[in-house]
Amino acid sequence: NGDALEYLRIAEGLTDISTIASYSGARTIGFPLFEKAIYFLISTYTESVFVLTWINSIGLVILSMHIIASWLFATWAQQNSFIQRENTRLLLFCFLSTFPVLVGHTTAPVSDTLSVDLILFGLVFLDRSMRNINLIFRIFLGFCSAFAFGYAVLVRPASVIGLTVALLIFGLVADCVCFS
């Protein structure tokens, strides 16, 4: 019902590149485009895509991304000395990966959890790009970071304020780490 149904209806209407490029509506296209990509993957391997299979697949992909993002963020926090002990990292991972609001939003196709996870991925990729020695890999990770941040804003435009604050704080932390 509600937002989830509206996102699915928008995704269903995205039939070709011109439809995607000319889309305008009350919702942004980020999350319906994500749903359409999952629909495309399912339709590649099956003859017909049932709605329940599509919805369950969306939830599984978002939950999987959430668990991976939680693990990467907890590891990033420990590697940057925000937390010191292994047990604290595991506690942070368990807290993030089982946080009821974020996990609850993986059971229905809504955009909240995906947006948060894209921001976490972006922060981890940005940090890795600044610490890597290989120039090609730095550029690749920087591109991945920019894509994750940009797509997070495309999924939930309201996250641009939080993302701006997070990037400012990240810049201060990175400056302290790089020059200490």
Side-chain angles (χ1 to χ4, degrees):
N1 292 331
D3 293 346
L5 182 60
E6 192 171 343
Y7 285 133
L8 288 170
R9 285 188 176 149
I10 293 168
E12 190 176 46
L14 301 175
T15 55
D16 57 9
I17 297 295
S18 64
T19 307
I20 294 168
S22 64
Y23 172 80
S24 68
R27 304 272 180 199
T28 60
I29 197 169
F31 195 68
L33 197 57
F34 174 79
E35 292 176 328
K36 190 63 173 188
I38 293 172
Y39 182 90
F40 177 75
L41 287 173
I42 296 169
S43 67
T44 302
Y45 297 105
T46 61
E47 286 185 26
S48 60
V49 179
F50 297 104
V51 175
L52 187 59
T53 304
W54 185 27
I55 292 171
N56 288 339
S57 297
I58 292 167
L60 277 172
V61 170
I62 294 173
L63 181 62
S64 299
M65 285 179 63
H66 178 64
I67 291 170
I68 293 167
S70 298
W71 179 261
L72 288 175
F73 184 76
T75 303
W76 172 81
Q78 184 182 27
Q79 289 173 346
N80 285 301
S81 301
F82 296 120
I83 54 177
Q84 301 296 321
R85 308 182 97 191
E86 179 71 21
N87 290 342
T88 310
R89 179 176 64 94
L90 293 174
L91 181 67
L92 178 61
F93 165 68
C94 289
F95 175 75
L96 288 174
S97 64
T98 61
F99 191 66
V101 173
L102 294 174
V103 173
H105 284 213
T106 65
T107 59
V110 290
S111 62
D112 302 68
T113 303
L114 179 63
S115 178
V116 168
D117 292 338
L118 286 169
I119 291 170
L120 293 179
F121 279 127
L123 287 173
V124 171
F125 290 149
L126 183 60
D127 180 64
R128 292 280 184 239
S129 73
M130 293 193 314
R131 296 178 187 277
N132 201 302
I133 296 172
N134 184 343
L135 180 63
I136 301 297
F137 203 58
R138 281 182 132 181
I139 292 170
F140 174 73
L141 288 172
F143 176 77
C144 290
S145 174
F147 177 80
F149 288 144
Y151 202 75
V153 171
L154 189 61
V155 169
R156 291 199 51 94
S159 65
V160 75
I161 296 168
L163 185 55
T164 303
V165 171
L167 286 174
L168 288 173
I169 292 170
F170 185 82
L172 292 172
V173 170
D175 187 46
C176 293
V177 170
C178 291
F179 295 111
S180 59

